[in-house]
């Protein structure tokens, strides 16, 4: 009898959940989402002002850098838990904010380490062992980024991550070592955040080197302009997914207009336009264009660049 009762209590495993990975669930075409921008640069260049110029911003920060600006901000977080609470509040509650600005990442990073050390009962981030604490911190940063993606999807908010820069030596595997500007975070965290961002911008004052004709000494001369740079060079890291100009004024409006102007169209529409223009080109040029379409593999940015090229070539052919 006891065996019968035991058998009756055994429950069959729950049925597997239906998979979302079905052909009838495919999503086609270009998806335009709020932008994820990481802006870092030298002190006093205007990073906070750039964030304040974004549409309907709300600031989250451990640095008291917004006191001179008429912006809305959460109370200064005293822990990493409070930072995450602020993100969850924006995700769950109704509001009219369109941009969340973190000012700055390098002031928030110690909160990540403090949270981990308190949780794991260790004295400091170095106590985990050589580089182990910084590697473990990546899990917390990934949770943070996943929460930001959830916020973007739920509320359609832009994300602006601000950070300072510092000058660090770069070991060049192809030649002599040199110094360069880098994101003022641990390298592993910085790499993760740059990879996640759609655009990484470096901000600096425009400076030219000028040699004195008499003394032959070189001095730096500032024009007073504050610029953002969008493409990686030996001097700094930068990237963008929108084929932006290499440099622009440090101004959200100009930046956003450039993003909109260079935001790639639907890949299928781009390919159709390229093929149409290719018909007006010389056979050998047309063949190269068609090969380039295949190499692009549906990449909208590459196709946008190719479309610009074929437009120019088609215009030149029509003028002849």
């Amino acid at each position: 009898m006891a065996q019968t009762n035991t058998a009756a209590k055994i429950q069959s495993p729950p049925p597997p959940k239906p998979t979302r990975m079905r052909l009838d669930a495919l999503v086609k075409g270009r998806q335009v989402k709020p932008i994820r921008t990481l802006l870092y640069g030298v002190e006093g260049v205007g990073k906070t002002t750039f964030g304040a110029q974004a549409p309907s911003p709300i600031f989250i920060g451990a640095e008291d850098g917004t006191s001179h600006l008429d912006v809305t901000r959460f109370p200064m977080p005293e822990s990493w838990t409070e930072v995450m609470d602020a993100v969850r509040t924006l995700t769950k509650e109704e509001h009219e904010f369109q941009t969340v600005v973190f000012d700055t990442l390098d002031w928030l990073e110690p909160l990540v380490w403090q949270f981990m050390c308190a949780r794991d009962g260790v004295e400091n981030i170095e106590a985990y062992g050589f580089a182990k604490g910084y590697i473990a911190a990546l899990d917390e940063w990934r949770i943070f980024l996943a929460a930001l993606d959830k916020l973007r999807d739920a509320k359609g908010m832009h994300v602006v991550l601000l950070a300072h820069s510092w000058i660090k030596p770069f070991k060049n595997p192809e030649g002599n070592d040199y110094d360069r500007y880098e994101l003022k975070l641990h390298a592993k965290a910085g790499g993760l955040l740059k990879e996640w961002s759609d655009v990484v911008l470096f901000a600096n004052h425009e400076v030219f080197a000028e040699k004195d004709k008499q003394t032959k000494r070189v001095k730096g001369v500032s024009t007073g302009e504050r610029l953002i740079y969008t493409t990686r060079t030996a001097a700094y890291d930068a990237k963008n997914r929108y084929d932006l100009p290499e440099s622009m004024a440090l101004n959200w409006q100009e930046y956003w207009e450039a993003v909109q102007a260079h935001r790639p169209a639907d890949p299928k529409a781009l390919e159709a336009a390229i093929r149409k223009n290719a018909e007006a080109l010389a056979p050998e040029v047309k063949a190269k264009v068609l090969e380039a379409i295949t190499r692009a593999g549906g990449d909208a940015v590459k196709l946008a660049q190719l479309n610009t090229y074929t437009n120019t070539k088609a215009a030149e052919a029509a003028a002849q």
Side-chain angles (χ1 to χ4, degrees), residues 39-49 58-69 71-80 82-83 101-111 161-165 184-185:
L39 170 71
Y40 74 108
V42 300
E43 292 184 7
V45 73
K47 299 181 292 295
T48 303
T49 301
I58 181 166
F59 279 73
I60 301 173
E63 181 183 8
D64 187 19
T66 63
S67 58
H68 65 293
L69 296 172
V71 298
T72 305
R73 60 186 74 80
F74 277 99
M76 186 180 295
E78 296 180 352
S79 68
W80 185 243
E82 289 188 342
V83 174
V101 183
F102 291 87
D103 189 12
T104 60
L105 290 175
D106 38 301
W107 279 69
L108 291 176
E109 186 173 47
L111 298 183
L161 308 175
L162 303 178
H164 291 95
S165 63
K184 194 177 180 181
L185 291 173

Side-chain angles (χ1 to χ4, degrees), residues 62-168:
E63 181 183 8
D64 187 19
T66 63
S67 58
H68 65 293
L69 296 172
D70 183 15
V71 298
T72 305
R73 60 186 74 80
F74 277 99
M76 186 180 295
E78 296 180 352
S79 68
W80 185 243
T81 299
E82 289 188 342
V83 174
M84 297 300 296
D85 285 345
V87 176
R88 295 186 186 101
T89 296
L90 290 173
T91 304
K92 294 178 180 179
E93 297 186 11
E94 293 300 320
H95 58 79
E96 297 182 355
F97 298 111
Q98 300 175 39
T99 308
V100 58
V101 183
F102 291 87
D103 189 12
T104 60
L105 290 175
D106 38 301
W107 279 69
L108 291 176
E109 186 173 47
L111 298 183
V112 178
W113 297 344
Q114 292 170 13
F115 168 79
M116 293 170 52
C117 294
R119 179 195 63 195
D120 300 337
V122 299
E123 184 177 356
N124 55 55
I125 194 69
E126 297 287 350
Y128 285 88
F130 181 72
K132 291 182 179 179
Y134 304 110
I135 294 173
L138 295 180
D139 290 336
E140 301 307 320
W141 283 116
R142 290 188 182 100
I143 293 171
F144 171 68
L145 296 179
L148 293 183
D149 279 333
K150 185 175 181 180
L151 171 62
R152 289 171 68 234
D153 292 340
K155 301 299 187 191
M157 294 183 70
H158 301 299
V159 178
V160 177
L161 308 175
L162 303 178
H164 291 95
S165 63
W166 55 9
I167 298 175
K168 303 287 283 185

